[in-house]
Amino acid sequence: MKINFLKSSIILGLAFVIGLASCSKDNKNSSYSPQSQNSTAAVGVQLINNVKLGDILTDKTGRTLYSFAADSTTAAQSSCNGDCAVKWPPFYDANPALGTGLNNADFGVITRNDNTKQTTYKGWPLYYYSGDTKKGDTNGDGILKAWFVSTPVYKVMFAM
């Protein structure tokens, strides 16, 4: 009975994730605007309002940060290594100054398989997408139904 419940939960979760991904297909030319920022320090991570996705996490230059659904299967580890990490480079800032609306307690650092560091948000390792060419791009959102723009609102993601 527990297995059937688990299968049903996973199927519902996948349907939710697929629904989210399908809502944001055409986002290549999305407009954005930065939230007010902490003016006393150079911001390392900030929120930018994307017209289609709402508030999203970006680095200090406005480059979008992503989460990978497969990371949910490993505790405090990145599942994106080797060639994957070339296409989805890890984001790392040892102690990022945060923009308005972000909480220091939500950020952490992990050590990757190659002994480099990676910043996490609410336990999820953060990445860039190599297909984003300018600040505010969100071209990686929904790829393989496993890559998602990181948002301040925690979204449940299930790995397939």
Side-chain angles (χ1 to χ4, degrees):
M1 185 160 208
K2 286 184 179 180
I3 292 174
N4 287 337
F5 177 75
L6 181 61
K7 285 181 182 178
S8 297
S9 297
I10 290 172
I11 290 170
L12 285 172
L14 288 173
F16 177 73
V17 169
I18 291 168
L20 285 175
S22 66
C23 291
S24 58
K25 278 296 194 199
D26 183 25
N27 55 18
K28 291 184 180 185
N29 296 315
S30 57
S31 59
Y32 65 94
S33 62
Q35 298 291 326
S36 61
Q37 300 174 8
N38 177 351
S39 60
T40 61
V43 174
V45 178
Q46 63 186 336
L47 293 177
I48 287 182
N49 186 269
N50 177 285
V51 173
K52 294 181 184 196
L53 301 172
D55 288 341
I56 64 172
L57 273 72
T58 71
D59 72 1
K60 62 186 169 193
T61 66
R63 286 190 61 202
T64 301
L65 298 172
Y66 294 88
S67 300
F68 184 33
D71 288 340
S72 67
T73 62
T74 57
Q77 277 299 323
S78 169
S79 297
C80 179
N81 298 292
D83 289 340
C84 177
V86 172
K87 191 168 189 170
W88 298 92
F91 167 74
Y92 176 64
D93 188 330
N95 191 16
L98 303 177
T100 302
L102 296 172
N103 185 340
N104 282 326
D106 291 331
F107 290 85
V109 174
I110 60 169
T111 301
R112 297 171 48 79
N113 290 345
D114 62 3
N115 289 321
T116 61
K117 303 289 187 190
Q118 185 170 9
T119 301
T120 63
Y121 178 68
K122 295 186 178 181
W124 294 88
L126 295 172
Y127 303 87
Y128 292 111
Y129 174 53
S130 62
D132 287 347
T133 59
K134 63 185 184 305
K135 65 182 181 178
D137 277 354
T138 57
N139 298 322
D141 191 52
I143 289 183
L144 300 175
K145 297 181 178 140
W147 290 95
F148 301 93
V149 168
S150 294
T151 69
V153 178
Y154 180 73
K155 291 189 269 187
V156 176
M157 296 184 285
F158 290 93
M160 296 175 86

